Amino acid sequence: MKAVTRAIIPAAGLGTRMLPISHAVPKEMLPIVDLPAIYYLVEEAVLSGIREILVITNRDKDAMEDFFDDSPSYEARLRASGRDADADRLREIARMANIYFIRQKEAKGLGHAVHCARDFVGDNLFTVLYGDDIIFSKTPVCRQLIDTYEQYGRAVVGVKPVPMADVARYCSLKIAPIDGRDDCFFCDDMIEKPKKGQEFSNYSILGRVLLTPEIFDILKDQAPGAGGEIQLTDAMATLARERGVTALHFEGERFDMGSKLGFLRANVVRGCEHEEVGEEFRAFLREFAKNL
Ligand code: UTP
């Protein structure tokens, strides 16, 4: 069985739900306390054993590339003022993986963004970490998907049950349990943003998938779907109907950094746990909550 050594992070969307900030700061660079959201995606891939990472970006998002690059003059100033530990940390971030960037020239949809990675992926298996979905978990979610792939040998999609009323905002999967498990399913169809009555179930894909390279032949001819965008889900639906995919109910808490509420929640959770400011922040929250 082939090892999974490549990951794609599509991060070229317009980020309209985070306007006005997202017109000047890419939503992937919005901080969770003191690290940008994209750091957590790269870290998840690395902790899953993946070191070759392609970020799909666009002309307004150079800040991501800068974040993972060396900054010799800034580092020199840090060292000159005795802040060697900070300078070392920046070096460590710049070396945590081999990170490549490619531009999606037009935001034609997530499926189109993934198709831009075809040459990078070649004949290999790969994971996709949706650029605005941060997941805090015990085992990194990409690792959970890889372990599931190694068990069942098909493409794997990371899913969670969502409230039935919300399914229309996500996608809906046709699933049946595998081996009597309640966290792992065989999926042979799915639909993006279903209208009322079109839902298969309230299980939706949330932010992580592990795909086989056949997806590129499907994406090549994929017609625009919901919202006029080339949808990755539509291509994965074809894959599911032709070969079946495994749906894993992954362990972990997901934060939608593309939404204002998700951004705030992620900062509160990580702020409370933060080594440097956590204790004071928790005390502040306790006081603050008294007047809510
Ligand atoms: P979203 O639909 O959540 O991102 O796509 P968006 O288009 O930026 O969102 P809004 O609705 O305008 O706020 C999921 C992921 O796919 C990427 C996004 O950057 C996001 O990480 N994406 C989406 C692309 O890379 N290219 C696209 O054309 C569309």
Side-chain angles (χ1 to χ4, degrees):
M1 196 162 273
K2 265 186 163 175
V4 182
T5 57
R6 287 172 169 74
I8 301 175
I9 304 178
L14 294 178
T16 52
R17 287 167 299 146
M18 284 305 273
L19 281 169
I21 181 89
S22 51
H23 102 100
V25 179
K27 60 181 171 177
E28 298 78 10
M29 284 303 290
L30 291 175
I32 302 180
V33 190
D34 49 10
L35 286 163
I38 191 155
Y39 170 88
Y40 290 96
L41 298 175
V42 170
E43 182 187 54
E44 180 189 322
V46 170
L47 292 174
S48 301
I50 296 172
R51 284 191 55 84
E52 304 297 313
I53 300 169
L54 179 70
V55 182
I56 317 290
T57 172
N58 66 32
R59 60 183 300 116
D60 298 319
K61 301 206 178 191
D62 287 348
M64 285 190 274
E65 210 161 334
D66 294 343
F67 180 75
F68 289 104
D69 198 3
D70 281 335
S71 37
S73 61
Y74 193 87
E75 268 181 45
R77 276 182 287 155
L78 285 175
R79 292 191 196 284
S81 58
R83 302 189 66 101
D84 288 286
D86 286 327
D88 291 346
R89 178 75 178 117
L90 295 185
R91 288 240 128 185
E92 204 184 299
I93 290 171
R95 277 155 191 68
M96 65 197 280
N98 297 322
I99 308 176
Y100 312 91
F101 296 85
I102 189 174
R103 286 184 180 182
Q104 182 188 20
K105 298 212 165 35
E106 212 185 314
K108 291 186 185 171
L110 178 58
H112 180 261
V114 169
H115 191 254
C116 294
R118 185 173 197 154
D119 289 346
F120 169 77
V121 169
D123 248 355
N124 296 283
L125 296 157
F126 63 103
T127 59
V128 184
L129 299 90
Y130 297 16
D132 46 12
D133 279 321
I134 303 301
I135 304 170
F136 298 141
S137 57
K138 289 192 205 92
T139 304
V141 181
C142 282
R143 187 71 245 168
Q144 296 179 45
L145 299 191
I146 294 168
D147 291 344
T148 306
Y149 168 76
E150 287 173 353
Q151 211 173 350
Y152 298 110
R154 285 184 294 262
V156 187
V157 295
V159 300
K160 289 238 183 229
V162 302
M164 208 58 196
D166 293 347
V167 175
R169 291 197 286 127
Y170 300 101
C171 67
S172 169
L173 272 66
K174 190 171 162 220
I175 51 171
I178 298 178
D179 296 341
R181 290 173 60 169
D182 60 6
D183 65 340
C184 205
F185 308 90
F186 180 74
C187 165
D188 60 3
D189 209 352
M190 62 181 83
I191 179 167
E192 177 70 14
K193 300 196 170 54
K195 298 202 172 58
K196 214 164 175 39
Q198 290 182 314
E199 306 92 343
F200 292 117
S201 73
N202 67 330
Y203 278 85
S204 295
I205 297 173
L206 295 181
R208 300 290 182 274
V209 297
L210 184 160
L211 294 172
T212 50
E214 290 94 53
I215 199 75
F216 291 110
D217 280 337
I218 305 173
L219 277 173
K220 178 167 60 74
D221 303 317
Q222 187 62 57
E229 296 194 343
I230 297 174
Q231 298 285 354
L232 181 61
T233 307
D234 291 343
M236 292 192 295
T238 304
L239 192 67
R241 288 191 292 264
E242 284 176 359
R243 296 171 178 242
V245 305
T246 306
L248 175 73
H249 180 169
F250 58 86
E251 172 273 314
E253 194 178 358
R254 167 185 173 264
F255 298 90
D256 178 4
M257 290 292 289
S259 78
K260 287 163 187 150
L261 200 56
F263 164 77
L264 291 169
R265 286 178 56 226
N267 273 283
V268 170
V269 169
R270 273 290 145 125
C272 284
E273 295 164 351
H274 197 273
E275 230 178 46
E276 201 181 305
V277 298
E279 204 178 317
E280 270 184 76
F281 186 56
R282 289 195 302 274
F284 160 76
L285 280 184
R286 276 192 288 269
E287 269 313 299
F288 187 72
K290 285 182 190 161
N291 301 316
L292 286 179

